[in-house]
mmCIF file of all heavy atoms in Angstrom:
data_model
loop_
_atom_site.group_PDB
_atom_site.id
_atom_site.type_symbol
_atom_site.label_atom_id
_atom_site.label_comp_id
_atom_site.label_asym_id
_atom_site.label_seq_id
_atom_site.Cartn_x
_atom_site.Cartn_y
_atom_site.Cartn_z
ATOM 1 N N LYS F 1 103.817 -199.209 40.362
ATOM 2 C CA LYS F 1 103.112 -198.295 41.269
ATOM 3 C C LYS F 1 103.895 -198.021 42.549
ATOM 4 O O LYS F 1 103.801 -196.920 43.107
ATOM 5 C CB LYS F 1 101.728 -198.840 41.601
ATOM 6 C CG LYS F 1 101.697 -200.238 42.176
ATOM 7 C CD LYS F 1 100.265 -200.706 42.385
ATOM 8 C CE LYS F 1 100.206 -202.128 42.937
ATOM 9 N NZ LYS F 1 100.645 -203.117 41.907
ATOM 10 N N ASN F 2 104.655 -199.005 43.030
ATOM 11 C CA ASN F 2 105.426 -198.792 44.259
ATOM 12 C C ASN F 2 106.550 -197.776 44.038
ATOM 13 O O ASN F 2 106.790 -196.915 44.888
ATOM 14 C CB ASN F 2 106.004 -200.117 44.752
ATOM 15 C CG ASN F 2 104.920 -201.098 45.156
ATOM 16 O OD1 ASN F 2 103.896 -200.703 45.704
ATOM 17 N ND2 ASN F 2 105.121 -202.373 44.877
ATOM 18 N N TYR F 3 107.220 -197.876 42.900
ATOM 19 C CA TYR F 3 108.238 -196.884 42.559
ATOM 20 C C TYR F 3 107.576 -195.531 42.318
ATOM 21 O O TYR F 3 108.151 -194.481 42.626
ATOM 22 C CB TYR F 3 109.022 -197.315 41.325
ATOM 23 C CG TYR F 3 110.007 -198.424 41.589
ATOM 24 C CD1 TYR F 3 109.639 -199.757 41.461
ATOM 25 C CD2 TYR F 3 111.317 -198.144 41.969
ATOM 26 C CE1 TYR F 3 110.549 -200.791 41.703
ATOM 27 C CE2 TYR F 3 112.229 -199.155 42.208
ATOM 28 C CZ TYR F 3 111.844 -200.478 42.084
ATOM 29 O OH TYR F 3 112.740 -201.486 42.326
ATOM 30 N N GLY F 4 106.367 -195.547 41.755
ATOM 31 C CA GLY F 4 105.624 -194.299 41.571
ATOM 32 C C GLY F 4 105.349 -193.610 42.888
ATOM 33 O O GLY F 4 105.461 -192.384 43.001
ATOM 34 N N ALA F 5 104.999 -194.408 43.914
ATOM 35 C CA ALA F 5 104.761 -193.841 45.246
ATOM 36 C C ALA F 5 106.037 -193.229 45.813
ATOM 37 O O ALA F 5 106.003 -192.160 46.436
ATOM 38 C CB ALA F 5 104.226 -194.925 46.181
ATOM 39 N N LEU F 6 107.174 -193.901 45.592
ATOM 40 C CA LEU F 6 108.447 -193.364 46.078
ATOM 41 C C LEU F 6 108.811 -192.064 45.367
ATOM 42 O O LEU F 6 109.305 -191.119 45.991
ATOM 43 C CB LEU F 6 109.554 -194.403 45.882
ATOM 44 C CG LEU F 6 109.493 -195.635 46.796
ATOM 45 C CD1 LEU F 6 110.557 -196.652 46.395
ATOM 46 C CD2 LEU F 6 109.665 -195.228 48.251
ATOM 47 N N LEU F 7 108.563 -192.012 44.064
ATOM 48 C CA LEU F 7 108.812 -190.777 43.324
ATOM 49 C C LEU F 7 107.879 -189.665 43.804
ATOM 50 O O LEU F 7 108.270 -188.501 43.906
ATOM 51 C CB LEU F 7 108.635 -191.013 41.824
ATOM 52 C CG LEU F 7 109.743 -191.815 41.138
ATOM 53 C CD1 LEU F 7 109.342 -192.155 39.706
ATOM 54 C CD2 LEU F 7 111.057 -191.051 41.160
ATOM 55 N N GLY F 8 106.621 -190.030 44.096
ATOM 56 C CA GLY F 8 105.688 -189.058 44.647
ATOM 57 C C GLY F 8 106.152 -188.542 46.001
ATOM 58 O O GLY F 8 106.029 -187.358 46.297
ATOM 59 N N LEU F 9 106.700 -189.454 46.807
ATOM 60 C CA LEU F 9 107.254 -189.058 48.105
ATOM 61 C C LEU F 9 108.394 -188.058 47.929
ATOM 62 O O LEU F 9 108.446 -187.033 48.622
ATOM 63 C CB LEU F 9 107.753 -190.295 48.849
ATOM 64 C CG LEU F 9 108.504 -190.058 50.173
ATOM 65 C CD1 LEU F 9 107.585 -189.424 51.208
ATOM 66 C CD2 LEU F 9 109.092 -191.369 50.700
ATOM 67 N N PHE F 10 109.289 -188.337 46.990
ATOM 68 C CA PHE F 10 110.423 -187.443 46.745
ATOM 69 C C PHE F 10 109.944 -186.104 46.200
ATOM 70 O O PHE F 10 110.463 -185.044 46.576
ATOM 71 C CB PHE F 10 111.413 -188.097 45.781
ATOM 72 C CG PHE F 10 112.714 -187.368 45.667
ATOM 73 C CD1 PHE F 10 113.635 -187.384 46.702
ATOM 74 C CD2 PHE F 10 113.024 -186.651 44.522
ATOM 75 C CE1 PHE F 10 114.836 -186.702 46.608
ATOM 76 C CE2 PHE F 10 114.230 -185.959 44.410
ATOM 77 C CZ PHE F 10 115.136 -185.997 45.458
ATOM 78 N N MET F 11 108.933 -186.136 45.341
ATOM 79 C CA MET F 11 108.357 -184.893 44.823
ATOM 80 C C MET F 11 107.757 -184.071 45.961
ATOM 81 O O MET F 11 107.944 -182.843 46.027
ATOM 82 C CB MET F 11 107.264 -185.216 43.792
ATOM 83 C CG MET F 11 106.499 -184.003 43.283
ATOM 84 S SD MET F 11 105.088 -184.470 42.243
ATOM 85 C CE MET F 11 104.388 -182.848 41.885
ATOM 86 N N GLY F 12 107.047 -184.738 46.879
ATOM 87 C CA GLY F 12 106.426 -184.045 47.992
ATOM 88 C C GLY F 12 107.439 -183.411 48.929
ATOM 89 O O GLY F 12 107.290 -182.258 49.340
ATOM 90 N N ILE F 13 108.483 -184.172 49.264
ATOM 91 C CA ILE F 13 109.526 -183.637 50.140
ATOM 92 C C ILE F 13 110.225 -182.452 49.481
ATOM 93 O O ILE F 13 110.496 -181.438 50.130
ATOM 94 C CB ILE F 13 110.543 -184.742 50.498
ATOM 95 C CG1 ILE F 13 109.875 -185.818 51.360
ATOM 96 C CG2 ILE F 13 111.751 -184.154 51.227
ATOM 97 C CD1 ILE F 13 110.738 -187.032 51.601
ATOM 98 N N SER F 14 110.501 -182.573 48.191
ATOM 99 C CA SER F 14 111.168 -181.488 47.464
ATOM 100 C C SER F 14 110.313 -180.229 47.441
ATOM 101 O O SER F 14 110.814 -179.118 47.651
ATOM 102 C CB SER F 14 111.485 -181.936 46.028
ATOM 103 O OG SER F 14 112.353 -183.045 46.015
ATOM 104 N N SER F 15 109.010 -180.389 47.189
ATOM 105 C CA SER F 15 108.136 -179.214 47.137
ATOM 106 C C SER F 15 107.973 -178.583 48.513
ATOM 107 O O SER F 15 107.836 -177.363 48.633
ATOM 108 C CB SER F 15 106.765 -179.591 46.561
ATOM 109 O OG SER F 15 106.069 -180.461 47.429
ATOM 110 N N MET F 16 108.005 -179.415 49.570
ATOM 111 C CA MET F 16 107.917 -178.872 50.924
ATOM 112 C C MET F 16 109.146 -178.018 51.231
ATOM 113 O O MET F 16 109.025 -176.914 51.779
ATOM 114 C CB MET F 16 107.795 -180.008 51.946
ATOM 115 C CG MET F 16 107.629 -179.529 53.375
ATOM 116 S SD MET F 16 107.316 -180.862 54.563
ATOM 117 C CE MET F 16 108.897 -181.717 54.503
ATOM 118 N N ILE F 17 110.332 -178.521 50.868
ATOM 119 C CA ILE F 17 111.561 -177.750 51.078
ATOM 120 C C ILE F 17 111.544 -176.471 50.248
ATOM 121 O O ILE F 17 111.913 -175.394 50.723
ATOM 122 C CB ILE F 17 112.793 -178.607 50.724
ATOM 123 C CG1 ILE F 17 112.899 -179.806 51.673
ATOM 124 C CG2 ILE F 17 114.075 -177.770 50.784
ATOM 125 C CD1 ILE F 17 113.953 -180.813 51.276
ATOM 126 N N LYS F 18 111.078 -176.593 49.009
ATOM 127 C CA LYS F 18 110.994 -175.435 48.124
ATOM 128 C C LYS F 18 110.080 -174.353 48.710
ATOM 129 O O LYS F 18 110.402 -173.158 48.683
ATOM 130 C CB LYS F 18 110.459 -175.877 46.759
ATOM 131 C CG LYS F 18 110.175 -174.764 45.776
ATOM 132 C CD LYS F 18 111.414 -174.267 45.113
ATOM 133 C CE LYS F 18 111.080 -173.327 43.970
ATOM 134 N NZ LYS F 18 112.295 -172.784 43.325
ATOM 135 N N SER F 19 108.935 -174.768 49.259
ATOM 136 C CA SER F 19 107.976 -173.804 49.788
ATOM 137 C C SER F 19 108.488 -173.094 51.037
ATOM 138 O O SER F 19 108.008 -172.020 51.388
ATOM 139 C CB SER F 19 106.653 -174.505 50.116
ATOM 140 O OG SER F 19 106.816 -175.418 51.188
ATOM 141 N N MET F 20 109.490 -173.687 51.703
ATOM 142 C CA MET F 20 110.065 -173.042 52.889
ATOM 143 C C MET F 20 110.972 -171.872 52.534
ATOM 144 O O MET F 20 111.259 -171.021 53.375
ATOM 145 C CB MET F 20 110.882 -174.070 53.689
ATOM 146 C CG MET F 20 110.070 -175.166 54.346
ATOM 147 S SD MET F 20 111.149 -176.372 55.150
ATOM 148 C CE MET F 20 109.938 -177.519 55.813
ATOM 149 N N THR F 21 111.430 -171.843 51.292
ATOM 150 C CA THR F 21 112.414 -170.837 50.904
ATOM 151 C C THR F 21 111.863 -169.806 49.933
ATOM 152 O O THR F 21 112.213 -168.634 50.007
ATOM 153 C CB THR F 21 113.645 -171.506 50.270
ATOM 154 O OG1 THR F 21 113.228 -172.308 49.147
ATOM 155 C CG2 THR F 21 114.336 -172.411 51.275
ATOM 156 N N THR F 22 111.036 -170.256 49.017
ATOM 157 C CA THR F 22 110.506 -169.337 48.003
ATOM 158 C C THR F 22 109.052 -169.676 47.741
ATOM 159 O O THR F 22 108.503 -170.610 48.293
ATOM 160 C CB THR F 22 111.284 -169.449 46.674
ATOM 161 O OG1 THR F 22 111.211 -170.805 46.203
ATOM 162 C CG2 THR F 22 112.724 -169.047 46.849
ATOM 163 N N GLY F 23 108.456 -168.908 46.852
ATOM 164 C CA GLY F 23 107.087 -169.221 46.449
ATOM 165 C C GLY F 23 106.106 -168.127 46.811
ATOM 166 O O GLY F 23 106.383 -167.228 47.596
ATOM 167 N N THR F 24 104.924 -168.220 46.232
ATOM 168 C CA THR F 24 103.868 -167.260 46.479
ATOM 169 C C THR F 24 103.180 -167.591 47.801
ATOM 170 O O THR F 24 103.472 -168.599 48.445
ATOM 171 C CB THR F 24 102.844 -167.311 45.341
ATOM 172 O OG1 THR F 24 102.223 -168.617 45.347
ATOM 173 C CG2 THR F 24 103.510 -167.092 43.989
ATOM 174 N N MET F 25 102.228 -166.752 48.208
ATOM 175 C CA MET F 25 101.503 -167.002 49.450
ATOM 176 C C MET F 25 100.787 -168.347 49.391
ATOM 177 O O MET F 25 100.785 -169.108 50.363
ATOM 178 C CB MET F 25 100.489 -165.891 49.709
ATOM 179 C CG MET F 25 99.721 -166.071 51.007
ATOM 180 S SD MET F 25 98.576 -164.716 51.363
ATOM 181 C CE MET F 25 97.317 -165.018 50.148
ATOM 182 N N GLY F 26 100.213 -168.653 48.248
ATOM 183 C CA GLY F 26 99.532 -169.933 48.104
ATOM 184 C C GLY F 26 100.478 -171.111 48.216
ATOM 185 O O GLY F 26 100.118 -172.167 48.733
ATOM 186 N N ASP F 27 101.712 -170.932 47.750
ATOM 187 C CA ASP F 27 102.704 -172.013 47.820
ATOM 188 C C ASP F 27 103.145 -172.294 49.250
ATOM 189 O O ASP F 27 103.598 -173.399 49.557
ATOM 190 C CB ASP F 27 103.927 -171.660 46.975
ATOM 191 C CG ASP F 27 103.624 -171.673 45.487
ATOM 192 O OD1 ASP F 27 102.672 -172.375 45.092
ATOM 193 O OD2 ASP F 27 104.326 -170.988 44.725
ATOM 194 N N GLN F 28 103.053 -171.291 50.126
ATOM 195 C CA GLN F 28 103.509 -171.485 51.497
ATOM 196 C C GLN F 28 102.722 -172.568 52.232
ATOM 197 O O GLN F 28 103.216 -173.159 53.194
ATOM 198 C CB GLN F 28 103.407 -170.161 52.274
ATOM 199 C CG GLN F 28 104.275 -169.038 51.724
ATOM 200 C CD GLN F 28 105.754 -169.390 51.713
ATOM 201 O OE1 GLN F 28 106.275 -169.908 52.705
ATOM 202 N NE2 GLN F 28 106.416 -169.124 50.612
ATOM 203 N N THR F 29 101.520 -172.840 51.773
ATOM 204 C CA THR F 29 100.709 -173.884 52.399
ATOM 205 C C THR F 29 101.366 -175.253 52.258
ATOM 206 O O THR F 29 101.126 -176.147 53.069
ATOM 207 C CB THR F 29 99.304 -173.896 51.764
ATOM 208 O OG1 THR F 29 98.775 -172.569 51.781
ATOM 209 C CG2 THR F 29 98.362 -174.799 52.525
ATOM 210 N N PHE F 30 102.212 -175.420 51.244
ATOM 211 C CA PHE F 30 102.861 -176.706 51.014
ATOM 212 C C PHE F 30 103.973 -176.988 52.028
ATOM 213 O O PHE F 30 104.605 -178.040 51.955
ATOM 214 C CB PHE F 30 103.409 -176.769 49.583
ATOM 215 C CG PHE F 30 102.336 -176.910 48.547
ATOM 216 C CD1 PHE F 30 101.777 -175.790 47.948
ATOM 217 C CD2 PHE F 30 101.879 -178.162 48.184
ATOM 218 C CE1 PHE F 30 100.773 -175.918 47.006
ATOM 219 C CE2 PHE F 30 100.877 -178.300 47.242
ATOM 220 C CZ PHE F 30 100.315 -177.176 46.650
ATOM 221 N N ILE F 31 104.175 -176.079 52.963
ATOM 222 C CA ILE F 31 105.085 -176.358 54.082
ATOM 223 C C ILE F 31 104.529 -177.513 54.918
ATOM 224 O O ILE F 31 105.285 -178.297 55.493
ATOM 225 C CB ILE F 31 105.280 -175.105 54.946
ATOM 226 C CG1 ILE F 31 106.046 -174.030 54.166
ATOM 227 C CG2 ILE F 31 105.992 -175.432 56.242
ATOM 228 C CD1 ILE F 31 106.156 -172.705 54.898
ATOM 229 N N MET F 32 103.212 -177.628 54.942
ATOM 230 C CA MET F 32 102.569 -178.686 55.718
ATOM 231 C C MET F 32 102.723 -180.028 55.002
ATOM 232 O O MET F 32 102.322 -180.153 53.846
ATOM 233 C CB MET F 32 101.083 -178.372 55.928
ATOM 234 C CG MET F 32 100.838 -177.022 56.569
ATOM 235 S SD MET F 32 101.669 -176.897 58.190
ATOM 236 C CE MET F 32 101.319 -175.205 58.632
ATOM 237 N N PRO F 33 103.275 -181.044 55.669
ATOM 238 C CA PRO F 33 103.536 -182.325 54.999
ATOM 239 C C PRO F 33 102.289 -183.036 54.497
ATOM 240 O O PRO F 33 102.351 -183.770 53.509
ATOM 241 C CB PRO F 33 104.265 -183.153 56.068
ATOM 242 C CG PRO F 33 103.947 -182.491 57.366
ATOM 243 C CD PRO F 33 103.772 -181.037 57.062
ATOM 244 N N TRP F 34 101.140 -182.822 55.166
ATOM 245 C CA TRP F 34 99.921 -183.479 54.685
ATOM 246 C C TRP F 34 99.399 -182.838 53.398
ATOM 247 O O TRP F 34 98.554 -183.417 52.724
ATOM 248 C CB TRP F 34 98.829 -183.469 55.764
ATOM 249 C CG TRP F 34 98.422 -182.109 56.238
ATOM 250 C CD1 TRP F 34 97.504 -181.274 55.668
ATOM 251 C CD2 TRP F 34 98.918 -181.417 57.392
ATOM 252 N NE1 TRP F 34 97.399 -180.102 56.382
ATOM 253 C CE2 TRP F 34 98.247 -180.167 57.452
ATOM 254 C CE3 TRP F 34 99.849 -181.733 58.384
ATOM 255 C CZ2 TRP F 34 98.505 -179.239 58.462
ATOM 256 C CZ3 TRP F 34 100.088 -180.810 59.384
ATOM 257 C CH2 TRP F 34 99.425 -179.578 59.414
ATOM 258 N N VAL F 35 99.922 -181.659 53.072
ATOM 259 C CA VAL F 35 99.571 -181.017 51.804
ATOM 260 C C VAL F 35 100.598 -181.350 50.725
ATOM 261 O O VAL F 35 100.239 -181.665 49.584
ATOM 262 C CB VAL F 35 99.464 -179.483 51.965
ATOM 263 C CG1 VAL F 35 99.137 -178.819 50.620
ATOM 264 C CG2 VAL F 35 98.400 -179.136 52.994
ATOM 265 N N SER F 36 101.868 -181.300 51.072
ATOM 266 C CA SER F 36 102.931 -181.474 50.075
ATOM 267 C C SER F 36 103.285 -182.939 49.811
ATOM 268 O O SER F 36 103.595 -183.309 48.683
ATOM 269 C CB SER F 36 104.197 -180.730 50.528
ATOM 270 O OG SER F 36 104.607 -181.199 51.803
ATOM 271 N N ILE F 37 103.224 -183.795 50.843
ATOM 272 C CA ILE F 37 103.753 -185.154 50.711
ATOM 273 C C ILE F 37 102.665 -186.200 50.513
ATOM 274 O O ILE F 37 102.710 -186.979 49.538
ATOM 275 C CB ILE F 37 104.614 -185.514 51.941
ATOM 276 C CG1 ILE F 37 105.823 -184.586 52.025
ATOM 277 C CG2 ILE F 37 105.065 -186.976 51.868
ATOM 278 C CD1 ILE F 37 106.690 -184.791 53.259
ATOM 279 N N LEU F 38 101.691 -186.251 51.412
ATOM 280 C CA LEU F 38 100.691 -187.320 51.379
ATOM 281 C C LEU F 38 99.971 -187.444 50.034
ATOM 282 O O LEU F 38 99.884 -188.551 49.473
ATOM 283 C CB LEU F 38 99.681 -187.129 52.517
ATOM 284 C CG LEU F 38 98.567 -188.173 52.610
ATOM 285 C CD1 LEU F 38 99.152 -189.567 52.794
ATOM 286 C CD2 LEU F 38 97.599 -187.832 53.745
ATOM 287 N N PRO F 39 99.451 -186.341 49.451
ATOM 288 C CA PRO F 39 98.761 -186.480 48.164
ATOM 289 C C PRO F 39 99.680 -186.962 47.046
ATOM 290 O O PRO F 39 99.248 -187.699 46.153
ATOM 291 C CB PRO F 39 98.264 -185.053 47.871
ATOM 292 C CG PRO F 39 98.320 -184.343 49.166
ATOM 293 C CD PRO F 39 99.435 -184.948 49.934
ATOM 294 N N ARG F 40 100.966 -186.576 47.103
ATOM 295 C CA ARG F 40 101.898 -186.955 46.047
ATOM 296 C C ARG F 40 102.235 -188.437 46.112
ATOM 297 O O ARG F 40 102.442 -189.091 45.075
ATOM 298 C CB ARG F 40 103.173 -186.123 46.151
ATOM 299 C CG ARG F 40 103.175 -184.794 45.385
ATOM 300 C CD ARG F 40 102.056 -183.846 45.818
ATOM 301 N NE ARG F 40 102.021 -182.635 45.037
ATOM 302 C CZ ARG F 40 102.750 -181.545 45.305
ATOM 303 N NH1 ARG F 40 103.568 -181.517 46.334
ATOM 304 N NH2 ARG F 40 102.631 -180.476 44.533
ATOM 305 N N VAL F 41 102.322 -188.997 47.332
ATOM 306 C CA VAL F 41 102.564 -190.440 47.467
ATOM 307 C C VAL F 41 101.397 -191.223 46.864
ATOM 308 O O VAL F 41 101.590 -192.169 46.083
ATOM 309 C CB VAL F 41 102.771 -190.826 48.944
ATOM 310 C CG1 VAL F 41 102.879 -192.348 49.095
ATOM 311 C CG2 VAL F 41 104.028 -190.161 49.500
ATOM 312 N N LEU F 42 100.176 -190.824 47.221
ATOM 313 C CA LEU F 42 98.991 -191.487 46.676
ATOM 314 C C LEU F 42 98.901 -191.318 45.167
ATOM 315 O O LEU F 42 98.574 -192.261 44.440
ATOM 316 C CB LEU F 42 97.732 -190.912 47.340
ATOM 317 C CG LEU F 42 97.555 -191.213 48.828
ATOM 318 C CD1 LEU F 42 96.363 -190.434 49.389
ATOM 319 C CD2 LEU F 42 97.369 -192.700 49.057
#
C-alpha cells in the first residue's frame, strides 16, 4: 500500500502537469493539486 500511495502521487503529479498543457475544459480542473494529487495518493 505504501508503494501504491507513491505511484498514486506520481500519477497525480503527472496528470496535473498534463492538464496544464492540454485537455478539455473539464480536465483543466486537475491543475489544482487537491484534485489531481490528493485523491490519487489515497
Side-chain angles (χ1 to χ4, degrees):
K1 55 184 179 290
N2 296 324
Y3 285 90
L6 289 174
L7 287 171
L9 174 64
F10 191 72
M11 174 188 178
I13 293 172
S14 299
S15 67
M16 183 174 67
I17 296 171
K18 174 79 170 178
S19 67
M20 292 176 180
T21 57
T22 58
T24 64
M25 181 177 72
D27 291 335
Q28 298 301 314
T29 309
F30 288 92
I31 292 174
M32 305 302 176
W34 59 85
V35 178
S36 57
I37 297 176
L38 180 59
R40 271 59 183 274
V41 174
L42 293 173

